[in-house]
Amino acid sequence: MDIAGLKRELEGLKIEDNPAIVKQKSRDFFWYSPVLKRQLDHVTADLVVSPRDEAEVIRVLKACYGLGVPVTPRGSGTGNYGQAMPLSGGVVLNLAEFNRVKSIARGRVVVEPGAILAEIDRQTRPGGQEIRLHPSTYNTASAAGFIAGGSGGCGSIRWGGLRNIGNVLGLRVVTMEEEPRVLQLKGRDLMKVMHAYGTNGIVTEVEMPLTAAYDWVDVIAGFDNYMKAVRFANLIANQDGLLLKELATVAAPVPYDYFLRHRKFLKRKDSVALIMVAPHALEPLLTLAAEEKAEILFRSDIATAEEKKGLPPLFELTWNHTTLRGLRVDPTITYLQVLYPFPSHVEGVEKMTRIFGDEVPGHLEFQRFDGNVCCSGLPIVRFTTEERLDEIVRIHEDNGCPIFNPHRYTLEEGGMKRTDAVQLAFKRDADPKGLLNPGKMIAWEDPDYDWRSDKVYLFPGLQAAAG
Ligand SMILES: Cc1cc2nc3c(=O)[nH]c(=O)nc-3n(C[C@H](O)[C@H](O)[C@H](O)COP(=O)(O)OP(=O)(O)OC[C@H]3O[C@@H](n4cnc5c(N)ncnc54)[C@H](O)[C@@H]3O)c2cc1C
């Protein structure tokens, strides 16, 4: 790889080649998985280039195309599956400094790719608006990183996931060709690059819908039995008149053992429902909670300043923050991503809870999916061996609960276990040399690979990066 030649071509751009910093910017939260930690720990790029506008992105892509250097885009590097890790080395394209909020109108906002989600809201809130969805990494994640790597988050109980049409309005995308093109994607075309891990284009502008902003109230409801928490959450999730932003359940003893800063409100036997509710919906929520004999353990609207001191916002107990808090207390745990069957999701959860007990303590995120309330799981796994982890995956799948495997770095194995033909076709068009984020799309790397077999895909470039 002609890195010296590339540096010459990119003169004037912000380039980092200090190996320690380059390695740091070549990592994400892959270490959540003991499997990915083993496979990817050595991975590093050769250079980090930080463009500040679209013209600089085009310059980098053109130069890398000419020299055959791989490019892996990076927002804030909070992805969980090695998504932003450069398996073949080359350039990490750090978009963190290309980050302005460009325009705000009623119902919509246009931002640059590296704009931090919380910063977008800081600018839209004075006009009474906020973004519909955000991951629990709201305070650090970038707009394009969320769209290229994420799936949903707080707000999904009302609005569904990122892939539901209408939750992203437009994307500008630069292709990886001799003369990079700038494409404006809308409607179904957005799916070409959404959740494609940056394998087929670089997002340089994002247009998202906005919704009414509220001073959301954080509520923790406690139950002496996990299934009571799940049934309560399912009940309130299905109330059409109740405006919620977040609804999760977590099984005992995880809240007490891992939510250390909230421990003063919890007992070890407490399974909890974690709720963000609009102020006008609080009273109706409390009415339901009283009827269902839920114990209200915490309410941010009445907690004293002293009680709230040092507490993270409730959304930082949810989604993948639940696992993060667990890992800080017990680095040996890991997690899974489970889809429970609809409409029998509560029965699915009950069955898995019965089978695994405390080996796989429950964590559900309630959300709308194609108009229906359902839940997906991010249960903690008390990890012992990779073989047992695979067995836990298999038992879920044998019981009709598909796993989106967070211990795999490819799009197919971590997702629907099939090729996304639209994304593959777009890659052929937009990245003919296969230089964007190599190793993440099996269908591109090895069209004959039987990824439905039990074999785990291992990208050959991993060895090259190691060597
Ligand atoms: C504690 C924790 C909690 C999390 N909670 C959630 C959650 O609630 N919901 C959720 O969906 N995810 C969650 N995640 C995963 C991750 O934080 C989010 O998906 C986040 O939005 C990623 O943003 P990022 O800027 O860090 O992206 P990165 O990690 O930098 O990148 C993500 C992917 O997008 C690609 N990419 C980045 N920028 C571009 C671009 N401009 N053009 C093309 N491709 C690009 C990267 O190559 C990579 O494949 C969580 C992770 C952690 C560690």
Side-chain angles (χ1 to χ4, degrees), residues 81-134:
Y81 330 112
Q83 292 153 299
M85 295 181 69
L87 304 189
S88 294
V91 165
V92 161
L93 189 71
N94 170 35
L95 293 140
E97 296 177 34
F98 179 11
N99 61 12
R100 279 179 319 130
V101 175
K102 293 175 83 170
S103 67
I104 301 168
R106 187 157 171 76
R108 54 180 82 210
V109 63
V110 179
V111 302
E112 292 177 346
I116 301 297
L117 298 166
E119 177 58 28
I120 301 172
D121 273 359
R122 258 192 290 280
Q123 298 196 32
T124 58
R125 272 182 163 263
Q129 305 194 89
E130 64 184 27
I131 51 177
R132 286 180 177 175
L133 309 176
H134 66 75

Side-chain angles (χ1 to χ4, degrees), residues 29-41:
F29 281 67
F30 73 106
W31 49 264
Y32 260 47
S33 159
V35 180
L36 296 184
K37 178 140 178 55
R38 176 174 58 73
Q39 292 174 337
L40 305 184
D41 207 28

Side-chain angles (χ1 to χ4, degrees), residues 4 68 86 145 174 199 220 227 261 317 322 347 351 408 414 442 467:
V174 179
T199 54
I220 303 180
M227 285 314 296
R261 287 193 268 164
L317 303 178
T322 314
E347 288 76 31
K351 196 166 178 192
R408 303 286 181 265
I442 300 177

Side-chain angles (χ1 to χ4, degrees), residues 27-29 31-32 72-85 93 95 113-114 116-117 134-138 140-154 162 193 196-199 201-204 318-324 378 437 440:
R27 299 163 92 73
D28 58 14
F29 281 67
W31 49 264
Y32 260 47
T72 300
R74 174 188 176 94
S76 304
T78 67
N80 293 108
Y81 330 112
Q83 292 153 299
M85 295 181 69
L93 189 71
L95 293 140
I116 301 297
L117 298 166
H134 66 75
S136 61
T137 43
Y138 178 62
T140 45
S142 71
F146 185 37
I147 284 162
S151 54
C154 304
L162 272 176
V193 296
Y197 294 2
T199 54
I202 302 299
V203 174
T204 53
T318 67
W319 294 87
N320 254 326
H321 269 83
T322 314
T323 323
L324 182 61
L378 293 155
N437 204 354
K440 306 293 168 62

Side-chain angles (χ1 to χ4, degrees), residues 175-193:
T175 63
M176 179 59 153
E177 297 173 278
E178 189 173 357
E179 292 301 333
R181 288 171 289 154
V182 180
L183 308 176
Q184 187 74 55
L185 304 183
K186 299 241 176 237
R188 287 275 174 226
D189 279 348
L190 293 167
M191 301 306 162
K192 291 175 176 174
V193 296

